[in-house]
Amino acid sequence: KEFKGKYLWRETKKADGTALKPSTPDVFTMLFDGPRVSLGTDCNTGSSEYVPPTGTSSIMTFGAVAATKKFCESKEEGPYFEMVSQIKSYEEADNGNLTFTLADGSTMVFVREGQALEYADDTAAADGE
């Protein structure tokens, strides 16, 4: 499987049942480019090599993230880079969105750039607004 394009981080569901969502969702990105992935945040950028799955396998691993070191107030950047480096497998939805499973059992949800993610608990959407 070869991945291409840009994805936006929408949510991480932790193994303990809590959820973490980026406060600025459209800036936490993952851009696949050959054997590397570029990561965008609300301050610094990062990159990592990754090993894509082969055949029908869903196993996918990322190396340590190398990041720029601009001073910034971001509280989410460090955890984001750490979570990406812990990816162990993936699932791809019919619409192309990706869910990565991390070493601790947490899952990270990414949507393809240009797609909106609808949350199941979105009461406004359920009310037809």
Side-chain angles (χ1 to χ4, degrees), residues 5-129:
K6 190 181 224 178
Y7 293 81
L8 308 172
W9 175 45
R10 286 298 183 243
E11 178 178 43
T12 296
K13 294 178 183 176
K14 300 289 216 162
D16 66 7
T18 60
L20 176 63
K21 295 180 183 181
S23 58
T24 313
D26 293 340
V27 299
F28 286 85
T29 61
M30 180 180 285
L31 174 65
F32 289 94
D33 185 19
R36 296 198 64 75
V37 65
S38 297
L39 304 167
T41 73
D42 54 353
C43 183
N44 286 292
T45 58
S47 66
S48 174
E49 291 185 352
Y50 76 99
V51 178
T54 56
T56 59
S57 173
S58 65
I59 295 171
M60 181 178 202
T61 57
F62 286 72
V65 174
T68 58
K69 300 199 183 314
K70 291 188 282 185
F71 176 77
C72 50
E73 301 285 327
S74 179
K75 292 182 169 96
E76 298 165 320
E77 175 182 288
Y80 175 68
F81 288 154
E82 178 63 26
M83 287 184 287
V84 168
S85 70
Q86 298 300 313
I87 291 172
K88 297 298 177 202
S89 66
Y90 84 100
E91 235 179 86
E92 186 173 11
D94 290 340
N95 62 5
N97 295 342
L98 298 174
T99 299
F100 295 106
T101 301
L102 312 185
D104 68 356
S106 300
T107 56
M108 290 183 85
V109 176
F110 284 80
V111 297
R112 278 191 168 278
E113 186 175 50
Q115 289 183 348
L117 180 65
E118 295 178 20
Y119 292 99
D121 61 352
D122 187 350
T123 55
D127 295 336
E129 295 178 14

